């Protein structure tokens, strides 16, 4: 019965969709008038506008730098997926890579043409914001989690306050605060780059959520581990770095992955405060009056783009969860 | 360090005070902890003082007064959808009230729809029917793995691409969907509806009490009372009777196209619809996953044991599966509800007048950036904490009672 109902629903919707999306669609044209005549989707908006959607207002001749930046980040992400490369050193590699990508886009060194951050946009910006959030947020998250479990009352209170306040408000208000209130708090004449302000907001938000997950991992480590580490005379930081954290992080890795995926999705929020990530750049591309009526097709395109990134991360995370739990059962 | 000094001092009868020198002091754990904390707190206070002086400097230079007095000044702007009947001559304070109501309106409806859809999808995903479970898991993967903001803008684009009200899609001339939003019929105002709703609420309450009484009686005496049918009759009949004796009002106000737009009935704006649709469909995907893992967490043996002691399928579900699944479901579901409320702030991207959006307007018009951001943060925090507190109470009710 249910099968019939579901099949009927599919039967009604799928042929319509296929004829709209494929059969009657316009795939390539320079002239948006061709799309007005056609009955189907206008995918030509993507062939026409993909450079703006993917790179924003980044100078056209320098797009190769954006491509290189994307390639560095994706290749490094794939490499980090293999368990044999996991170590504290991997984190340092990411730190260096982030700085490298930043320099690559900024230019001004190695004979690269300098490009101001206000011109950055599209996928390189989205990926850089994302990587910056995770790379900058993870150490802060670990510190906050340790602080929340600390025996020092003042530090504990500060960490709890920070975590709970940030978790209690929407990300957009944190970003808004970072972009509106930082300039007020700074002495006159000192300005912090808009991109950097957004990044600080994203890092704070990510760290507050990730800290709670790390704390769960710290709690899952048996008391014996703590006591054994103390018994052989390790100091607090030796104990934390060598005994507790490696175990705790391993336990919470799948849960952390869902936060990482959320951080990727959350990069779209920066388009509200006026940065041109993929979503913001797409909105700019659609300001062209000739193509504005094909917004739906453009949004379907970036919908798929975001899906590809998030879905591969979530599949990897599911694989990791199985992999790690198998290891524990042995 | 503490252990060594303690063990050394233990065997010696005359406890000699350690000489006070800087190194000894630094090796004292209590002092060191105190010093660390002093350092951190001092740094933060220093930063705060530094920032506040900068703010005061900047504000006094621009001649902006501080304080919350501005809340009682005239707002001077309009809000598109105002449940409070807000007008531009009202105060900023009422603007906040209106904005909070708009945020709550979309959030409450969103929570209801997301829960209903999420539960259906979660159960569908466990279905033995391959087509149903595949459809459900496709939905979940699609909506969970794309940014909410993209989804909201996507729905908004679709709704604004709808035909003009003149050629609106209509459901046999009752409800109309156009680029001005959705217009649905609504019962004409009548006090009888209030009493009907009250009767319904009371009937539901007494139905719950009857079930409790019947359970208690069965536990005591072993006799089973078939209360289910009686309850269904009660819940349906009580409001119906009130409605019937109230004169059975049945007049509906049906939206009609007049001039440039629809008149009558209830009109839902495109912004509201897009945000509601985006929030519900997105959070539903997460709720579906939570419900699925909750049901899967109940071990097979529990269900078999329930069959073995001859519990009916309904009782198996109500008394064995549900209480155990809820323990797993409630904490993450609560987090999703809080997330839904917070994400309603994305209404700013499509122009729905919710708290964050209105707050931006207030900042622009009043110039009181700090106070306005403080107000907004405080309101969001209190909403989040209230939901968390309610869900904590509920959670405590369903947790394992240690006996």
């Amino acid at each position: 019965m249910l099968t019939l109902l579901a099949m009927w629903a599919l039967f009604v919707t799928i042929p319509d969709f296929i004829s709209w999306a494929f059969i009657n669609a316009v795939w390539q044209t320079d002239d948006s008038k061709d799309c007005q005549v056609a009955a189907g989707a206008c995918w030509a908006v993507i062939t026409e506008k993909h450079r703006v959607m993917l790179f924003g207002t980044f100078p056209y001749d320098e797009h190769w730098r954006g491509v290189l930046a994307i390639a560095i980040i994706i290749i490094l992400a794939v490499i980090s997926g293999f368990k044999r490369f996991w170590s504290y050193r991997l984190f340092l590699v990411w730190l260096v890579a982030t700085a490298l990508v930043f320099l690559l886009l900024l230019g001004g060194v190695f004979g690269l043409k300098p490009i101001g951050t206000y011109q950055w946009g599209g996928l390189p910006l989205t990926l850089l914001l994302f990587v910056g959030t995770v790379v900058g947020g993870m150490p802060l998250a670990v510190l906050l989690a340790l602080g929340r479990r600390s025996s020092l009352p003042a530090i504990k209170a500060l960490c709890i306050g920070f975590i709970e306040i940030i978790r209690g408000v929407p990300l957009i208000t944190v970003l808004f605060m970072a972009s509106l209130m930082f300039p007020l708090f700074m002495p006159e004449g000192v300005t912090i780059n808009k991109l950097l302000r957004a990044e600080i907001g994203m890092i704070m938000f990510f760290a507050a959520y990730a800290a709670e997950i790390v704390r769960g991992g710290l709690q899952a480590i048996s008391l014996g581990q703590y006591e054994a580490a103390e018994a052989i005379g390790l100091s607090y930081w030796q104990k934390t770095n060598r005994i507790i954290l490696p175990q705790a992080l391993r336990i919470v890795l799948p849960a952390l992955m869902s936060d990482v995926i959320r951080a990727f999705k959350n990069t779209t929020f920066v388009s509200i405060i006026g940065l041109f990530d993929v979503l913001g750049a797409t909105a700019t591309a659609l300001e062209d009056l000739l193509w504005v009526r094909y917004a739906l097709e453009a949004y379907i395109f970036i919908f798929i783009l975001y899906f590809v990134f998030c879905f591969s991360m979530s599949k990897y995370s599911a694989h990791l969860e199985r992999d790690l739990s198998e290891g524990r059962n042995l | 360090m503490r252990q060594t000094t303690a063990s050394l001092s233990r065997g010696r009868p005359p406890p000699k005070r350690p000489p006070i020198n800087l190194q000894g002091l630094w090796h004292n754990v209590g002092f060191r902890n105190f010093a660390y904390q002093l350092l951190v707190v001092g740094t933060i206070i220093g930063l705060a003082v530094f920032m506040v002086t900068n703010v005061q400097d900047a504000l006094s230079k621009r001649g902006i007064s501080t304080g919350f007095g501005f809340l009682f000044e005239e707002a001077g702007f309009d809000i598109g959808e105002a449940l409070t009947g807000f007008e531009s001559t009202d105060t900023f304070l009422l603007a906040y009230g209106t904005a909070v109501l708009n945020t709550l309106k979309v959030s409450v409806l969103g929570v209801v729809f997301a829960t209903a859809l999420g539960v259906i999808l979660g159960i569908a995903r466990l279905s033995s029917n391959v087509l149903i479970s595949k459809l459900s898991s496709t939905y979940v993967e699609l909506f969970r793995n794309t940014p909410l903001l993209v989804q909201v803008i996507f729905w908004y684009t679709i709704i604004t691409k709808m035909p003009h009200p003149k050629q609106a899609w209509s459901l046999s001339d009752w409800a109309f969907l156009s680029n001005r939003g959705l217009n649905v019929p609504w019962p004409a105002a009548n006090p009888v509806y209030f009493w009907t709703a009250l009767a319904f609420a009371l009937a539901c309450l007494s139905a719950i009490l009857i079930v409790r009484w019947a359970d208690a009686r069965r536990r005591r005496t072993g006799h089973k009372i078939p209360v289910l049918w009686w309850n269904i009759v009660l819940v349906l009949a009580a409001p119906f009777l009130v409605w019937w004796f109230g004169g059975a009002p049945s007049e509906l106000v049906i939206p009609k196209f007049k001039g440039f737009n629809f008149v009558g009935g209830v009109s839902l704006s495109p912004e509201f619809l897009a945000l509601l649709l985006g929030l519900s469909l997105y959070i539903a995907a997460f709720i579906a996953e939570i419900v699925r893992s909750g049901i899967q967490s109940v071990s097979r043996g529990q269900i078999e044991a329930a069959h073995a002691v001859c519990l009916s399928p309904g009782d198996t579900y109500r008394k064995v599966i549900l209480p155990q699944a809820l323990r797993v479901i409630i904490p993450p579901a609560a987090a999703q509800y809080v997330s839904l409320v917070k994400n309603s702030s994305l209404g700013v991207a499509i122009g729905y007048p919710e708290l964050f959006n209105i707050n931006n307007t207030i900042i622009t018009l009043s110039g009181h950036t700090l106070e306005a951001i403080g107000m907004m943060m405080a309101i969001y925090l209190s909403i989040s904490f209230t939901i968390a507190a309610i869900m904590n109470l509920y959670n405590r009710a369903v947790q394992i009672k240690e006996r």
Side-chain angles (χ1 to χ4, degrees):
Chain A
M1 181 62 206
L2 271 173
T3 322
L4 282 178
L5 203 71
M7 275 171 74
W8 175 79
L10 286 180
F11 188 74
V12 170
T13 51
I14 284 192
D16 275 0
F17 179 75
I18 288 179
S19 73
W20 177 79
F22 300 105
I23 298 171
N24 292 327
V26 178
W27 292 91
Q28 205 156 16
T29 173
D30 299 336
D31 190 359
S32 65
K33 287 202 187 80
D34 294 349
C35 282
Q36 285 184 31
V37 188
C42 179
W43 301 116
V45 66
I46 293 154
T47 40
E48 187 73 9
K49 292 284 176 196
H50 73 281
R51 284 291 191 115
V52 185
M53 286 160 74
L54 291 178
F55 297 101
T57 48
F58 208 74
Y60 195 86
D61 292 334
E62 305 287 330
H63 280 184
W64 62 271
R65 278 153 67 176
V67 175
L68 194 59
I70 296 170
I72 292 176
I73 291 173
I74 291 179
I75 290 171
L76 197 54
V78 170
I79 290 175
S80 312
F82 294 100
K83 264 203 295 197
R84 80 177 79 147
F85 296 115
W86 290 358
S87 64
Y88 285 126
R89 213 174 301 154
L90 185 63
F91 178 76
L92 286 181
V93 172
W94 270 108
L95 208 63
V96 172
T98 314
L100 207 69
V101 167
F102 187 80
L103 273 183
L104 178 67
L105 293 177
L106 191 66
V109 283
F110 311 123
L112 291 171
K113 200 176 127 203
I115 297 169
T117 52
Y118 61 93
Q119 282 182 302
W120 294 12
L123 197 54
L125 181 67
T126 292
L127 287 178
L128 184 67
L129 273 170
F130 164 62
V131 171
T133 306
V134 178
V135 170
M138 268 322 289
L140 186 59
V142 170
L143 284 180
L144 282 170
L146 290 172
R148 194 165 181 171
R149 281 173 60 77
S150 162
S151 54
L152 314 178
I155 290 181
K156 187 174 178 175
L158 277 175
C159 290
I160 292 179
F162 180 86
I163 292 173
E164 293 301 333
I165 287 178
I166 298 281
R167 279 163 52 94
V169 297
L171 170 58
I172 184 66
T173 64
V174 177
L175 284 178
F176 193 64
M177 221 173 66
S179 72
L180 251 186
M181 275 166 61
F182 271 160
L184 273 177
F185 286 144
M186 289 295 138
E188 241 189 315
V190 179
T191 52
I192 302 181
N193 185 287
K194 192 176 180 183
L195 178 63
L196 198 62
R197 278 182 274 163
E199 186 66 80
I200 292 173
M202 301 271 296
I203 287 177
M204 279 166 45
F205 194 77
F206 174 77
Y209 278 84
E212 285 298 276
I213 292 177
V214 173
R215 185 168 72 108
L218 294 176
Q219 278 171 346
I221 307 291
S222 77
L223 205 58
Q225 295 284 330
Y226 287 89
E227 284 167 356
E230 272 162 26
I232 57 172
L234 295 184
S235 76
Y236 176 79
W237 289 110
Q238 282 174 328
K239 174 182 77 179
T240 308
N241 274 332
R242 308 218 168 143
I243 313 290
I244 307 301
L245 272 185
Q247 300 184 61
L249 289 181
R250 189 170 266 258
I251 294 173
V252 296
L253 209 57
L256 271 180
M257 273 305 285
S258 72
D259 259 33
V260 169
I261 295 172
R262 181 163 52 195
F264 188 80
K265 290 188 287 182
N266 282 349
T267 54
T268 51
F269 281 52
V270 300
S271 68
I272 297 178
I273 57 165
L275 290 175
F276 300 103
D277 71 317
V278 174
L279 185 61
T282 304
T284 339
L286 291 171
E287 275 166 18
D288 186 340
L289 285 177
L290 289 176
W291 296 95
V292 67
R293 59 170 73 220
Y294 309 109
L296 199 61
E297 287 86 340
Y299 283 122
I300 289 178
F301 173 68
I302 61 168
F303 189 92
I304 295 170
L305 185 71
Y306 278 109
F307 179 75
V308 167
F309 277 97
C310 294
F311 187 64
S312 40
M313 279 193 277
S314 101
K315 274 283 157 214
Y316 173 70
S317 151
H319 158 80
L320 204 63
E321 199 169 351
R322 273 195 305 276
D323 202 29
L324 291 180
S325 66
E326 266 167 25
R328 258 208 300 282
N329 287 341
L330 281 175
Chain B
M1 278 304 148
R2 182 163 41 188
Q3 283 87 348
T4 45
T5 43
S7 57
L8 279 179
S9 62
R10 201 167 287 150
R12 297 172 188 177
K16 220 165 54 180
R17 265 177 188 280
I20 296 176
N21 59 23
L22 216 61
Q23 214 182 355
L25 203 58
W26 188 242
H27 282 174
N28 179 320
V29 176
F31 174 78
R32 206 156 42 161
N33 286 348
F34 179 72
Y36 280 146
Q37 298 190 61
L38 199 68
L39 193 72
V40 172
V41 174
T43 317
I44 285 176
I45 291 178
L47 262 176
V49 169
F50 171 72
M51 287 173 163
V52 169
T53 22
N54 284 332
V55 170
Q56 280 173 343
D57 252 25
L59 290 184
S60 65
K61 254 179 209 150
R62 289 185 218 164
I64 300 172
S65 65
T66 48
F68 286 93
F70 80 96
L71 285 176
F72 303 102
E73 290 165 19
E74 191 182 301
F77 67 96
D78 278 311
I79 297 180
E81 297 163 57
L83 292 175
T84 51
F86 177 83
E87 280 170 29
S88 60
T89 46
D90 287 319
T91 59
F92 282 114
L93 192 63
L94 192 65
Y96 272 112
T98 314
V100 171
L101 276 183
N102 276 342
T103 290
L104 290 180
K105 181 171 89 173
V106 76
S107 307
V108 169
L109 283 174
V111 164
V112 172
F113 287 142
T115 311
L117 186 60
V119 169
I120 293 172
L121 284 167
I123 293 171
R125 218 175 156 184
L126 292 172
S127 157
S128 51
N129 187 324
V130 181
L131 187 66
I132 299 274
S133 78
K134 270 284 162 226
L135 272 179
S136 165
S137 73
T138 311
Y139 173 92
V140 170
E141 294 297 355
L142 260 183
F143 282 81
R144 210 174 47 150
N145 284 316
T146 40
L148 173 59
L149 185 54
V150 175
Q151 293 182 25
V152 168
I153 292 180
F154 180 78
W155 295 123
Y156 188 60
T157 313
I158 288 191
I159 294 175
T160 47
K161 272 187 79 163
M162 289 280 165
H164 190 263
K166 256 185 202 163
Q167 296 100 33
W169 288 6
S170 74
L171 193 71
S172 59
D173 283 340
W174 279 60
F176 298 90
L177 189 62
S178 68
N179 63 3
R180 300 281 177 85
L182 181 67
N183 293 73
V184 289
W186 196 255
N190 192 319
V192 173
Y193 289 119
F194 170 74
W195 296 111
T196 310
L198 192 69
F200 179 70
L202 283 178
C204 286
L205 195 70
S206 37
I208 294 170
L209 289 178
I210 290 173
V211 169
R212 288 220 171 154
W213 169 79
D215 274 354
R217 191 186 146 84
R218 185 164 72 155
R219 233 170 258 145
R220 211 170 52 240
T221 63
H223 293 299
K224 197 175 170 186
I225 308 166
V227 288
L228 180 67
W229 291 109
W230 289 110
N231 274 334
I232 291 178
V233 171
L234 175 70
V235 167
L236 291 179
F240 180 76
L241 285 177
V242 170
W243 177 72
W244 184 258
F245 285 112
S250 61
E251 193 194 341
L252 282 176
V253 180
I254 296 166
K256 286 236 161 52
F257 185 74
K258 254 187 211 154
F260 294 105
N261 211 340
F262 289 99
V263 181
V266 164
S267 157
L268 303 169
S269 71
E271 293 81 20
F272 174 78
L273 280 178
L275 187 61
L276 179 63
L277 212 59
L279 285 172
S280 331
L281 296 182
Y282 180 74
I283 298 292
F286 288 88
I287 299 277
E289 276 299 276
I290 293 168
V291 168
R292 180 186 63 95
S293 68
I295 294 175
Q296 275 179 336
S297 74
V298 180
S299 73
R300 188 85 218 136
Q302 293 279 330
I303 298 160
E304 281 162 8
H307 288 316
V309 296
C310 291
L311 280 185
S312 67
D315 274 352
T316 308
Y317 188 72
R318 193 162 66 86
K319 300 200 161 152
V320 178
I321 300 180
L322 202 58
Q324 298 187 61
L326 275 181
R327 273 174 215 147
V328 181
I329 289 172
I330 286 180
Q336 287 305 328
Y337 292 155
V338 173
S339 149
L340 189 147
V341 176
K342 290 193 295 177
N343 279 329
S344 70
S345 56
L346 288 181
V348 69
I350 54 172
Y352 177 69
E354 43 68 55
L355 180 56
F356 182 77
N357 195 355
I358 296 296
N359 196 55
N360 279 356
T361 316
I362 292 176
I363 289 177
T364 320
L365 289 180
S366 72
H368 289 267
T369 314
L370 288 180
E371 296 89 335
I373 290 185
M375 278 287 281
M376 175 177 68
M377 294 288 223
I379 294 172
Y380 274 121
L381 275 177
S382 35
I383 296 176
S384 303
F385 288 161
T386 312
I387 299 178
I390 292 172
M391 292 306 267
N392 265 339
L393 279 181
Y394 187 47
N395 195 27
R396 205 170 298 160
V398 297
Q399 280 311 315
I400 300 173
K401 311 270 187 311
E402 300 281 353
R403 278 189 261 263

